[in-house]
């Protein structure tokens, strides 16, 4: 039995614990929902309406939703390591690791357990609670599953939450990684479906949704978000949030990346986005995915402290922590500590 009601923002809230819906894909059968999430349905129009609110009204609303579900002054820390860098066959127009573009990133092999656990130990010492491992792969190859499973088990044994982003994943592979101790799988929708093809030609939106479905069906937490500032319109930013919020259940973790302009990539000279639009995107993510951790992800190094503070006010409650993302820079530990002290933010 469904219980459906319409609230003040025109969204339909449907609690339906045994079925997972995707807004761009035919239905498929999945395991029961993770207990922390619920199926909500947001119309594109209601999301556009949120984006169009006066800035102060939007911030007030987002902060209210945030306080209903989270401690307002707490931010979760995730640390990121590139376990296999560069030489990727995909042509993602933003990415320094694509073999299609000359960005100066050198390709390297998969790191071994010692290198990964050393980085995880450092991250843990610095206060991170989740360790994310990223590989410049189009998809996980079956021959690498065992090696990656060993990395996951070793990090999990250090009492860190584990996350991987390895490209497309089959259901069996997702089950194997879950069995090795993987808590989260990151796979971003990246942008709205209608402009996806302008940015990536080597795979399609449905491929991404299928991977997210595999992750869900293995009982893992989903980490999925996108990139803002790739030349998209406000309506297209709303389109990305519309896809994410209607995944049913929406992701537990939603990274909102600001495009890092990398020389050599097709998007290197994209016109800079007004920072207020980035903050608005965080706020709309918070309102439409109230129980998700919304991560202020790539692009913090290029952002002033005031913009980051506004993102926390808009409901961001997670960051990537440590002075490197995958191949590009991130604020140093000391800078983040100073910002948190200034804002009275506790880290978890
Ligand atoms: N290869 C895997 C994949 O694409 O799913 C995993 C690694 S890939 C680098 C992970 C994510 O990093 C991408 O989906 C994209 O959202 C983000 N990313 C890559 N380059 C970026 C850039 N220049 N600025 C912001 N985010 C970026
Ligand atoms: C995500 O959404 N952002 C992270 C993580 N997931 C893997 C990656 C950001 C990459 C930025 C460009 C780079 O450092 O290569
Ligand atoms: Fe490859 Fe991932 Fe970069 Fe795309 S985003 S080029 S799949 S590493």
């Amino acid at each position: 039995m469904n219980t459906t009601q319409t609230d003040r923002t025109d969204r339909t809230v449907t609690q339906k614990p045994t079925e997972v819906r995707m807004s761009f894909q035919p239905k498929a059968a999945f395991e029961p929902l993770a207990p922390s999430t619920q199926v909500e349905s947001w119309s594109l129009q209601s999301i556009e309406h949120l984006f169009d609110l006066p800035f102060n009204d939007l911030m007030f609303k987002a902060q209210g939703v945030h306080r209903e579900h989270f401690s307002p002054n707490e931010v979760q820390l995730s640390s990121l390591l590139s376990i296999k860098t560069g030489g990727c066959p995909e042509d993602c127009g933003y990415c320094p690791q694509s073999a299609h573009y000359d960005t100066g990133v050198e390709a390297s092999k998969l790191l071994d357990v010692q290198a990964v656990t050393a980085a995880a130990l450092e991250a843990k010492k610095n206060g991170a609670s989740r360790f994310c491992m990223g590989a410049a792969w189009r998809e996980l190859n079956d021959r690498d599953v065992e090696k990656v499973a060993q990395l996951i088990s070793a990090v999990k044994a250090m009492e860190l939450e584990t996350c991987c982003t390895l490209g497309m994943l089959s259901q069996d592979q997702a089950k194997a990684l879950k069995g090795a101790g993987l808590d989260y799988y990151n796979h971003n929708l990246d942008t709205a479906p209608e402009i996806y093809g302008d940015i990536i030609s080597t795979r399609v939106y449905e491929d991404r949704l299928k991977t997210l479905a595999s992750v869900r069906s293995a009982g893992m937490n989903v980490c999925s978000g996108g990139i803002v500032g790739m030349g998209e319109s406000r309506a297209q930013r709303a389109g990305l949030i519309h896809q994410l919020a209607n995944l049913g259940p929406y992701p537990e973790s939603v990274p909102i990346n600001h495009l890092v302009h990398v020389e050599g990539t097709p998007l290197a000279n994209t016109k800079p986005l007004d920072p207020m639009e980035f903050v608005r995107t965080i706020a709309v993510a918070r309102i439409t995915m109230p129980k998700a951790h919304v991560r202020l992800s790539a692009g913090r190094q290029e952002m002033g402290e005031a913009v980051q503070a506004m993102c926390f006010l808009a409901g961001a409650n997670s960051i990537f922590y440590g002075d490197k993302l995958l191949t590009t820079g991130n604020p140093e530990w000391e800078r983040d500590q100073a910002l948190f002290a200034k804002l009275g933010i506790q880290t978890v």
Side-chain angles (χ1 to χ4, degrees):
M1 267 279 274
N2 298 343
T3 43
T4 303
Q5 60 187 71
T6 306
D7 77 2
R8 281 169 304 166
T9 52
D10 299 337
R11 74 186 162 149
T12 315
V13 180
T14 308
Q15 287 185 285
K16 205 177 187 186
T18 53
E19 184 185 292
V20 173
R21 218 175 359 75
M22 294 188 288
S23 40
F24 195 67
Q25 245 322 71
K27 283 183 186 171
F30 300 102
E31 304 278 285
L33 301 184
S36 64
T37 53
Q38 58 182 358
V39 179
E40 301 202 23
S41 142
W42 285 85
S43 70
L44 182 58
Q45 200 191 17
S46 63
I47 293 178
E48 285 177 339
H49 173 71
L50 289 173
F51 266 96
D52 291 342
L53 285 174
F55 189 77
N56 287 350
D57 289 347
L58 177 61
M59 296 295 276
F60 184 72
K61 194 176 181 68
Q63 182 60 206
V65 171
H66 189 54
R67 281 166 188 259
E68 273 174 41
H69 300 285
F70 290 101
S71 175
N73 301 304
E74 244 174 48
V75 167
Q76 186 275 330
L77 302 181
S78 290
S79 196
L80 195 52
L81 176 71
S82 179
I83 59 169
K84 196 273 160 213
T85 307
C88 184
E90 298 292 274
D91 68 355
C92 311
Y94 46 77
C95 187
Q97 303 199 69
S98 166
H100 295 256
Y101 318 124
D102 187 5
T103 62
V105 170
E106 282 188 24
S108 66
K109 288 195 176 147
L110 184 62
L111 296 183
D112 62 20
V113 175
Q114 284 73 22
V116 172
T117 50
L121 187 61
E122 186 66 18
K124 190 174 169 161
K125 268 197 221 150
N126 287 335
S129 55
R130 189 177 308 160
F131 191 70
C132 308
M133 295 164 266
W137 285 327
R138 168 185 165 77
E139 69 234 308
L140 177 59
N141 200 306
D142 278 339
R143 67 165 182 263
D144 291 319
V145 171
E146 189 45 43
K147 287 184 235 166
V148 173
Q150 281 172 13
L151 300 179
I152 292 166
S153 302
V155 173
K156 185 75 178 169
M158 298 168 69
E159 294 183 355
L160 279 161
E161 285 185 319
T162 54
C163 177
C164 276
T165 181
L166 314 166
M168 292 186 282
L169 210 61
S170 71
Q171 272 196 27
D172 286 349
Q173 290 173 339
K175 278 187 199 135
L177 300 187
K178 162 85 177 162
L182 190 60
D183 299 309
Y184 288 80
Y185 195 79
N186 167 241
H187 197 66
N188 292 335
L189 293 182
D190 274 344
T191 192
E194 62 272 23
I195 52 162
Y196 182 87
D198 298 338
I199 291 166
I200 300 154
S201 78
T202 45
R203 64 185 147 166
V204 293
Y205 216 74
E206 285 95 335
D207 292 330
R208 300 213 173 222
L209 292 164
K210 270 187 209 152
T211 291
L212 295 183
S214 297
V215 173
R216 241 333 150 216
S217 73
M220 264 187 284
N221 293 302
V222 170
C223 173
S224 188
I227 310 179
V228 180
M230 297 197 289
E232 74 285 341
S233 63
R234 179 182 275 185
Q236 289 161 340
R237 284 188 279 284
L240 166 67
I241 301 294
H242 182 237
Q243 289 291 322
L244 293 167
N246 287 320
L247 279 172
Y250 56 78
E252 279 73 22
S253 172
V254 179
I256 304 293
N257 296 277
H258 190 296
L259 175 71
V260 181
H261 296 80
V262 179
E263 208 163 317
T265 61
L267 296 183
N269 299 316
T270 308
K271 189 169 162 248
L273 180 75
D274 183 331
M276 299 302 164
E277 279 298 309
F278 186 80
V279 178
R280 279 182 186 273
T281 310
I282 297 263
V284 176
R286 163 54 62 226
I287 294 165
T288 55
M289 294 172 273
K291 292 180 183 171
H293 273 83
V294 175
R295 184 173 307 128
L296 165 54
S297 301
R300 285 199 305 119
Q301 198 172 36
E302 295 74 22
M303 237 172 246
E305 287 194 336
V307 176
Q308 292 188 59
M310 272 195 280
C311 290
F312 296 130
L313 192 61
N317 60 349
S318 173
I319 58 163
F320 283 123
Y321 188 56
D323 56 13
K324 204 170 173 195
L325 291 166
L326 292 174
T327 64
T328 63
N330 200 39
E332 293 100 34
W333 186 87
E334 292 80 6
R335 263 178 71 192
D336 279 342
Q337 288 301 319
L339 178 59
F340 291 144
K342 235 186 255 189
L343 301 177
I345 282 177
Q346 307 295 314
T347 56
V348 289

